[in-house]
């Protein structure tokens, strides 16, 4: 297993796979299909001492999980509700079938290899759905407000209470202000997952897979605070256990 040495450019730093978007995008003189990810993701992995590697949203790319030390399931669009046996809500976004299939395959391979996993926002939901759970497709219907996603394209600050002794609380504390941008959330919890954080309205904000050293999902976006690398640092530390 890779370890984090003193050389900031050395080969002994943990390699972290980051899942990505497949989107139409314009840049320079080009407008075409792209594989992309906000730079905040690789930036925080670098700051925590890891080497980020971008994984394209293709099921075949799941083979790359055999060559990494940890996996981050990044945020992104809604999961196809057919994946958890539900009819589509009018507010559920268009399906990204290839990305869904790719990330489920990557997660399954990471679990087989028993490498550390961190799910971010959509990534938390991928973890729950892959293990047999379901989602609330439009959170305001359940909690009566849009505080978790009040403005398109902007993050909202949410106060979260964490269970003492859990992996996330050990990393960041028992009460934290986090950056959220989501209109879906966990509904039925998958077998094996344990809720370790909630928002004040009861929304599940973090889960951990029981019996695993570090398989964690958070509903918030830790990569949005470059001054706080604690959760990503905990992911990297788990590659050395």
């Amino acid at each position: 297993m890779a370890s984090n040495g003193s050389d900031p450019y050395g080969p002994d730093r943990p390699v972290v796979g980051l899942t990505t978007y497949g989107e139409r995008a314009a840049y320079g003189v080009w407008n075409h299909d792209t594989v992309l990810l906000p730079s905040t993701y690789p930036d925080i992995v670098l700051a925590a001492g890891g080497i980020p590697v971008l994984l394209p949203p293709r099921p075949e790319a799941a083979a790359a999980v055999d060559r990494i030390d940890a996996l981050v399931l990044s945020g992104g669009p809604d999961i196809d509700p057919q994946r958890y046996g539900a009819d589509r809500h009018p507010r559920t976004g268009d399906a990204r079938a290839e990305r869904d299939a790719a990330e489920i395959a990557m997660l399954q391979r990471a679990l087989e290899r028993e490498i550390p996993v961190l799910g971010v926002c959509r990534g938390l939901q991928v973890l729950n759905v892959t293990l047999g759970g379901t989602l609330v497709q439009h959170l305001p219907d359940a909690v009566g407000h849009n505080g978790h996603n009040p403005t398109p394209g902007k993050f909202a600050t949410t106060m979260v209470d964490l269970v003492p002794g859990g992996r996330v609380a050990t990393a960041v504390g028992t009460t934290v202000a986090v950056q959220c941008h989501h209109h879906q959330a966990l509904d039925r919890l998958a077998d094996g997952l344990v809720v370790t954080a909630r928002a004040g309205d009861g929304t599940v904000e973090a889960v951990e897979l029981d019996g695993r050293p570090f398989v964690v999902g958070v509903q918030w976006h830790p990569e949005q605070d470059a001054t706080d690398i604690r959760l990503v640092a905990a992911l990297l530390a788990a590659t050395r256990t």
Side-chain angles (χ1 to χ4, degrees), residues 42-158:
D43 286 350
I44 200 168
V45 170
L46 288 165
I51 299 175
V53 174
L54 303 190
L55 304 175
R58 306 289 188 271
E60 301 91 331
V65 176
D66 289 347
R67 304 185 184 188
I68 61 177
D69 299 312
L71 176 67
V72 173
L73 298 166
S74 306
D78 298 337
I79 300 167
D80 188 341
Q82 291 185 354
R83 290 280 180 183
Y84 48 95
D87 294 330
R88 180 175 297 277
H89 187 285
R91 298 296 296 273
T92 295
D94 293 338
R96 302 293 202 281
E98 192 166 44
R99 182 173 179 183
D100 290 351
E103 292 188 346
I104 289 170
M106 291 173 188
L107 173 59
Q108 289 172 332
R109 185 57 186 149
L111 295 176
E112 289 170 2
R113 288 194 58 216
E114 299 187 350
I115 64 172
V117 175
L118 174 61
V120 173
C121 196
R122 168 191 159 93
L124 161 74
Q125 297 167 12
V126 169
L127 177 61
N128 192 51
V129 169
T130 299
L131 295 177
T134 64
L135 304 179
V136 176
Q137 292 190 54
H138 191 56
L139 187 57
D141 292 347
V143 298
H145 65 84
N146 66 349
H148 296 271
N149 184 7
T151 306
K154 294 185 178 181
F155 289 90
T157 300
T158 300

